[in-house]
Amino acid sequence: MADLSHSPRSRMPGALRVALDWLQSPWIIGLLILAAVALIDPDNFRSVVAFTARALASTSKYILFAVTLLAFLKATGAEAMVARAFVGREVRMIFFAALLGGLAPFCSCEVIPFIAGLLALGAPLSAVMAFWLSSPLIDPPTLLITAAALGWPFAIAKAVSAVSLGLFGGFVIKALRSGGLFAQPLRKAPVKSCCGCGPSKTDERPNWRFWQEEDRRATFRREFLTNGLFLLKWLAFAYVLESLLVHYVRPEWIAALVGGDGIVPIAIAAVVGMPAYLNSYVAPPLLAGLMTQGMSAGAALAFMIAGAVSSIPAMAAVWSLVKPRVFATYLALGVSGAILSGVVFQML
């Protein structure tokens, strides 16, 4: 094992290390980006800030629900019940998670609080990945919006692709885990005890009236604040990046790259769509316009899937949550699944 005690960072004075950590904070980086916009493009500054604030406000209810639920499970000891639900049922959970993802109305950033909670509670990464990949792609309202803008064949193809991508990702992760990979997917090992003093017992009975015990009340407060601040800072940073994309990346530039038929435009569309941001309500009418400019249906589907799963805002949030190997696998599954979906749809 490498000796970290003599690393350059460890030799820094304490105040310098604190200052460096402060400068690398998502809060500070986000504020510096906004300051740069104010200096370079003051006319758009208010619009960029307003977009970021609206997006964060829209997601805040999901953050609040997720961190409250996680803190409640931790404080009551009910996380043991969640753990029991995943014991010995991995294949069934992969199917369940992929189908559930098709009904959950989350975009790629809004799903992060729930993924964080599931992973922290010890849910198998395979089932979590199935939900993670399928959830941003489709839900009942966006199915109707997609059908209205692009037709029912496209909408059905997107719904089938969402569930298929979830299953694909879930079973790939299951196979990799059986080979010894991803034993600990989170960057920070989750605390598996309601009081933080040891592993959870699956036969432990939860105490639903946790407020009657001081140590459980303290656990609730600690978990709520820790998880809430963690998610809030990274999602705020993600939405700053999203706002830049929406304001400064023109759709015509994308159409010029992915026009024409064949497999190559589909692959290009997935790669170009990966850092883009197209939420489920904006994407259908925008892609309808791009298709009139020469984008093929297969390329449009690949672009939509890659943009939903692997957008820069989503990647920033995912990077903060899981280890680099899991992050790279998430991106590879999203982009390869987008390309496969586009190719199959183009062939049909």
Side-chain angles (χ1 to χ4, degrees), residues 1 16 22 39 64 71 75 88 90 104 115 146 158 170 173 200 252-253 257 268-269 296 298 312-313 317 321 329 344:
M1 181 182 296
L16 182 58
W22 183 78
L39 291 173
L64 180 62
E90 188 173 2
I115 297 303
T146 303
K158 185 184 178 186
I173 293 296
S200 298
E252 308 89 77
W253 301 346
L257 291 173
I268 294 175
S296 68
I312 284 181
L321 184 62
T329 305
V344 171

Side-chain angles (χ1 to χ4, degrees), residues 148-232:
L150 298 168
W152 276 107
F154 195 101
I156 293 172
K158 185 184 178 186
V160 172
S161 297
V163 177
S164 299
L165 180 58
L167 293 174
F168 170 63
F171 282 106
V172 167
I173 293 296
K174 182 178 184 298
L176 293 175
R177 279 176 59 85
S178 66
L181 294 176
F182 310 133
Q184 176 49 259
L186 289 172
R187 283 184 177 270
K188 182 180 180 181
V191 178
K192 295 187 177 296
S193 168
C194 63
C195 59
C197 58
S200 298
K201 299 178 181 179
T202 56
D203 58 350
E204 185 180 84
R205 292 178 63 86
N207 180 358
W208 300 113
R209 299 181 178 182
F210 70 92
W211 56 87
Q212 296 179 345
E213 300 179 22
E214 174 55 32
D215 60 337
R216 292 182 182 270
R217 291 198 301 270
T219 296
F220 182 89
R221 292 192 296 268
R222 181 181 66 250
E223 294 292 333
F224 183 89
L225 291 174
T226 301
N227 291 303
L229 289 174
F230 174 82
L231 293 169
L232 184 63

Side-chain angles (χ1 to χ4, degrees), residues 79-98:
E79 58 177 342
M81 297 174 60
V82 177
R84 285 199 299 270
F86 287 93
V87 173
R89 302 174 182 177
E90 188 173 2
V91 172
R92 180 185 66 82
M93 285 307 303
I94 291 173
F95 278 96
F96 175 75

Side-chain angles (χ1 to χ4, degrees), residues 13-328:
L16 182 58
R17 287 201 302 271
V18 171
L20 183 61
D21 290 339
W22 183 78
L23 289 174
Q24 293 176 338
S25 165
W27 295 118
I28 301 304
I29 296 174
L31 289 174
L32 290 175
I33 291 174
L34 293 177
V37 172
L39 291 173
I40 298 171
D41 188 15
D43 292 340
N44 269 326
F45 174 70
R46 291 183 64 181
S47 178
V48 169
V49 172
F51 183 98
T52 302
R54 286 195 302 269
L56 189 60
S58 175
T59 308
S60 62
K61 57 182 177 290
Y62 299 104
I63 299 176
L64 180 62
F65 176 78
V67 298
T68 302
L69 178 61
L70 182 58
F72 175 78
L73 292 173
K74 289 280 189 178
T76 59
E79 58 177 342
M81 297 174 60
V82 177
R84 285 199 299 270
F86 287 93
V87 173
R89 302 174 182 177
E90 188 173 2
V91 172
R92 180 185 66 82
M93 285 307 303
I94 291 173
F95 278 96
F96 175 75
L99 292 171
L100 180 62
L103 298 174
F106 300 136
C107 77
S108 51
C109 291
E110 289 169 346
V111 76
I112 299 299
F114 294 90
I115 297 303
L118 288 173
L119 289 174
L121 291 173
L125 181 61
S126 56
V128 172
M129 186 66 74
F131 181 81
W132 203 339
L133 289 169
S134 65
S135 182
L137 296 178
I138 200 71
D139 57 71
T142 57
L143 179 68
L144 298 176
I145 293 173
T146 303
L150 298 168
W152 276 107
F154 195 101
I156 293 172
K158 185 184 178 186
V160 172
S161 297
V163 177
S164 299
L165 180 58
L167 293 174
F168 170 63
F171 282 106
V172 167
I173 293 296
K174 182 178 184 298
L176 293 175
R177 279 176 59 85
S178 66
L181 294 176
F182 310 133
Q184 176 49 259
L186 289 172
R187 283 184 177 270
K188 182 180 180 181
V191 178
K192 295 187 177 296
S193 168
C194 63
C195 59
C197 58
S200 298
K201 299 178 181 179
T202 56
D203 58 350
E204 185 180 84
R205 292 178 63 86
N207 180 358
W208 300 113
R209 299 181 178 182
F210 70 92
W211 56 87
Q212 296 179 345
E213 300 179 22
E214 174 55 32
D215 60 337
R216 292 182 182 270
R217 291 198 301 270
T219 296
F220 182 89
R221 292 192 296 268
R222 181 181 66 250
E223 294 292 333
F224 183 89
L225 291 174
T226 301
N227 291 303
L229 289 174
F230 174 82
L231 293 169
L232 184 63
K233 72 178 180 181
W234 280 103
L235 288 174
F237 176 63
Y239 283 130
V240 169
L241 298 180
E242 175 193 337
S243 185
L244 296 181
L245 289 169
V246 169
H247 282 82
Y248 298 110
V249 177
R250 300 178 65 86
E252 308 89 77
W253 301 346
I254 299 169
L257 291 173
V258 293
D261 298 321
I263 296 178
V264 174
I266 294 174
I268 294 175
V271 174
V272 172
M274 181 179 67
Y277 181 80
L278 292 177
N279 67 45
S280 298
Y281 300 101
V282 174
L286 180 58
L287 282 175
L290 293 176
M291 290 174 70
T292 63
Q293 299 180 30
M295 177 185 279
S296 68
L301 182 63
F303 185 89
M304 180 182 286
I305 292 175
V309 172
S310 304
S311 65
I312 284 181
M315 286 191 283
V318 173
W319 176 260
S320 71
L321 184 62
V322 296
K323 291 183 177 178
R325 186 176 294 179
V326 179
F327 174 79

